[in-house]
């Protein structure tokens, strides 16, 4: 009980790879200055984690919390749009609509099969003759798009961090609530509450526009 009241120890956050790479890890230096006694562990994956099992202390997730004992707050909006590198568009042309995509190379992310809201993209990829690259890694997927391999369906916050990607107007967009969730049975420790509060503050910061 005494340890639970201390701002020290480990806190595990479950998050999709992209969010873990481009949001959480970039905030860790500031967090360490505030809470030098807390060690963060990042559990990467697209599957919703059962927080009751203590596999993680909290999670960033797209699925709406359904457990009545979950403590969840919407911290932003997860937006996904089609993007391509300027080098690819100079070579292949800029598609003006979905009908133009038949002549373009598409890049796929296997992890999207488990996410809500991606049905239109999944149907497009399933029927497309030129899906030239696929991966289950968010980082590899991003780098493939940046390298000019083809058109990718990417979170908007990537492009706001990397302006060398061009957004395409193709009537193919997804916008879903992004949730920060903990569990009432396991979130009583002061270190867990400190991390939860800190992440809420970072997402709510007016300077943080990537999840607006």
């Amino acid at each position: 009980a005494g340890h639970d009241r201390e701002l020290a120890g480990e806190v595990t956050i479950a998050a999709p790879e992209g969010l873990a790479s481009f949001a959480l890890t970039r905030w860790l230096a500031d967090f360490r200055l505030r809470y030098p006694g807390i060690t963060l562990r990042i559990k990467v994956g697209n599957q919703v984690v059962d927080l009751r099992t203590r596999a993680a202390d909290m999670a960033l997730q797209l699925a709406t919390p359904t457990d009545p004992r979950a403590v969840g707050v919407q911290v932003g909006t997860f937006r996904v749009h089609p993007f391509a590198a300027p080098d690819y568009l100079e070579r292949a042309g800029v598609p003006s609509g979905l009908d133009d995509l038949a002549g373009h190379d598409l890049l796929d992310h296997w992890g999207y099969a488990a996410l809500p809201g991606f049905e239109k993209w999944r149907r497009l990829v399933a029927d497309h003759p030129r899906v030239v690259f696929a991966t289950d890694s968010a980082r590899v997927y991003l780098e493939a798009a940046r390298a000019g391999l083809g058109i990718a369906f990417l979170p908007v916050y990537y492009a706001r961090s990397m302006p060398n990607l061009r957004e395409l107007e193709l009537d193919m967009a997804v916008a879903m609530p992004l949730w920060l969730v903990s569990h009432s049975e396991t979130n009583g420790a002061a270190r867990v509450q400190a991390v939860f509060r800190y992440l809420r503050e970072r997402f709510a910061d007016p300077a943080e526009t990537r999840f607006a």
Side-chain angles (χ1 to χ4, degrees), residues 14 45-51 59 61-65 114:
N46 286 324
Q47 301 299 321
V48 176
V49 174
D50 186 351
L51 298 177
Q61 64 187 48
L62 301 178
T64 302

Side-chain angles (χ1 to χ4, degrees), residues 16 19 48 60-65 77-78 115-116 118 176-179:
L19 282 169
V48 176
L60 279 169
Q61 64 187 48
L62 301 178
T64 302
T77 301
F78 186 86
L115 297 177
F118 285 73
M176 294 173 290
L178 176 61
W179 294 89

Side-chain angles (χ1 to χ4, degrees), residues 102-117:
H104 281 269
D105 296 337
L106 297 189
L107 315 179
D108 192 26
H109 189 313
W110 300 330
Y112 287 170
L115 297 177

Side-chain angles (χ1 to χ4, degrees), residues 50-85:
D50 186 351
L51 298 177
R52 295 171 299 179
T53 66
R54 296 181 182 266
D57 296 297
M58 67 190 66
L60 279 169
Q61 64 187 48
L62 301 178
T64 302
T66 57
D67 189 331
R69 292 163 294 181
V71 179
V73 293
Q74 183 181 340
V75 291
T77 301
F78 186 86
R79 303 180 191 278
V80 188
H81 294 178
F83 288 90

Side-chain angles (χ1 to χ4, degrees), residues 2 43 78-79 87 105 122 125 137 141 144 155 160-161 193:
K43 181 179 179 64
F78 186 86
R79 303 180 191 278
D87 289 347
D105 296 337
R122 288 197 293 268
V125 170
S137 166
Y141 192 50
R160 291 179 178 172
S161 302
Q193 294 175 2

